[in-house]
Amino acid sequence: MNKRILALIAAFLVQVFYGLNFTFANDVIDGGYIKPFGFILLRLIGTTFLFWIFDFLVPKQKIAKKDFLLFLAASVFGMCINMLSFFKGLEYTTPIHASVIMTITPIMVLILSSMYLKEKISKTNVLGVFIGLAGAIILSVYGKSTNPGDNILLGNLLIIINAVSFSIYLIIIKKLTEKYHPFTFLKWLFLFGLILTTPFGYKEVLAVEWHTFPNYIWFAFSFVIVFATYGTYVLNPLALTQLRASTVSTFVYIQPVIAAIFALILGSDHLNLVKVIAAILIFLGVYLVTKKPKPITT
């Protein structure tokens, strides 16, 4: 099996794990077992431990001092802002809302690629940006939840911040994957992320009542750390070693499908007309954004 196929499988698995993560994380948070920032800190503690304990499996690479600043930036966007806004957003919105909004990631990656990597954007791409954002706005303003404690507008806004932050992270690590093995920089990214997020979550970690966890919550908690964090953060840069950032980001389309099916099966969310219309607009926008311009003929 060639490296490109393996990269495509890795990108696919990332979205499957993320798609399941919406429901598992939402159930832990909405159930009141762990508050959002506490969950983030525990997520980073567990994943940082896994990266450093398995460090011996990877050939040692010397890191240039100037790159540590890039490591720190990737950590801020990929671990801190990304995770904090995602879990806090899930406290106020629903799994299907969150997964649909995450499909704006390819739009953000395209915009950032044009600015940072100097890639060209066509008029069709621009139209796609506006259509996709229109879908996200409709979902945020008119979407409703059956949970009386939800604040859909605030929750969706936080998920949008999460999507933008994750897009920036993808652009940054694309550069890092060209120079280092993923394990080489990920262990440092998570260590920096752990240090930076500790002030936000340590009180919520201390408040966790572990003895109240039923088996399902233990499983959901473990899945988020092992598969939706450690697994996805290993697989994403592996995919980026063979694929463009814009290609990897388009796999996010799989998330709403996985998240919706799983949430509906477990009864964690429901479909309505607003969600369907918003999803269609976002998918159309994403399609136009990722559509390659036709070559000019004379």
Side-chain angles (χ1 to χ4, degrees):
M1 192 177 293
N2 64 46
K3 292 182 178 180
R4 181 174 175 80
I5 293 177
L6 289 174
L8 291 169
I9 292 173
F12 175 78
L13 287 176
V14 166
Q15 302 311 322
V16 171
F17 292 155
Y18 276 142
L20 297 176
N21 182 51
F22 287 105
T23 293
F24 284 136
N26 186 71
D27 288 348
V28 173
I29 294 170
D30 276 3
Y33 295 99
I34 309 177
K35 291 184 177 180
F37 290 173
F39 204 161
I40 292 301
L41 183 55
L42 289 169
R43 190 181 182 188
L44 287 168
I45 290 172
T47 309
T48 302
F49 174 77
L50 289 174
F51 273 118
W52 282 90
I53 198 172
F54 290 118
D55 181 52
F56 69 92
L57 296 174
V58 183
K60 297 295 181 289
Q61 286 181 291
K62 186 176 182 180
I63 300 172
K65 290 184 178 180
K66 63 178 182 179
D67 287 336
F68 273 106
L69 190 59
L70 198 59
F71 284 18
L72 181 60
S75 182
V76 169
F77 289 106
M79 284 76 196
C80 299
I81 298 176
N82 173 37
M83 291 188 184
L84 291 173
S85 58
F86 175 76
F87 274 68
K88 195 65 178 178
L90 273 183
E91 184 180 19
Y92 297 117
T93 191
T94 71
I96 292 179
H97 272 247
S99 63
V100 170
I101 289 175
M102 278 302 295
T103 59
I104 69 172
T105 299
I107 297 175
M108 296 298 110
V109 170
L110 183 78
I111 294 172
L112 292 171
S113 294
S114 70
M115 296 169 60
Y116 187 64
L117 303 177
K118 306 303 180 183
E119 294 181 0
K120 294 181 179 180
I121 299 180
S122 68
K123 292 180 180 179
T124 301
N125 297 152
V126 174
L127 177 62
V129 169
F130 283 104
I131 292 176
L133 291 178
I137 291 171
I138 289 173
L139 191 63
S140 299
V141 175
Y142 296 104
K144 295 181 180 179
S145 170
T146 56
N147 186 347
D150 285 347
N151 182 336
I152 295 298
L153 184 60
L154 175 59
N156 288 354
L157 176 61
L158 289 169
I159 298 299
I160 290 173
I161 292 173
N162 162 60
V164 173
S165 179
F166 186 71
S167 301
I168 296 172
Y169 167 76
L170 283 180
I171 297 296
I172 294 174
I173 67 167
K174 175 61 179 175
K175 290 289 187 181
L176 292 176
T177 56
E178 296 171 357
K179 192 172 183 179
Y180 302 105
H181 187 282
F183 273 80
T184 299
F185 62 80
L186 281 170
K187 66 178 184 180
W188 288 104
L189 262 57
F190 272 89
L191 181 61
F192 291 155
L194 175 60
I195 294 171
L196 292 170
T197 56
T198 295
F200 295 95
Y202 79 96
K203 288 185 179 179
E204 294 184 359
V205 170
L206 295 176
V208 176
E209 297 179 352
W210 300 98
H211 64 280
T212 65
F213 284 23
N215 290 336
Y216 169 72
I217 294 301
W218 275 114
F219 174 79
F221 172 73
S222 301
F223 180 91
V224 171
I225 292 177
V226 177
F227 292 98
T229 311
Y230 181 77
T232 57
Y233 277 82
V234 168
L235 293 172
N236 248 329
L238 288 177
L240 284 167
T241 59
Q242 301 296 321
L243 305 172
R244 297 174 60 186
S246 57
T247 301
V248 172
S249 69
T250 58
F251 274 79
V252 78
Y253 310 155
I254 300 168
Q255 279 191 34
V257 179
I258 301 296
I261 292 173
F262 195 62
L264 292 171
I265 290 174
L266 294 186
S268 299
D269 204 348
H270 69 285
L271 285 173
N272 58 35
L273 185 60
V274 170
K275 292 178 184 178
V276 172
I277 292 174
I280 291 173
L281 286 173
I282 290 175
F283 289 144
L284 176 59
V286 169
Y287 168 73
L288 293 175
V289 164
T290 56
K291 188 176 176 62
K292 291 184 178 180
K294 294 181 179 179
I296 299 174
T297 58
T298 56

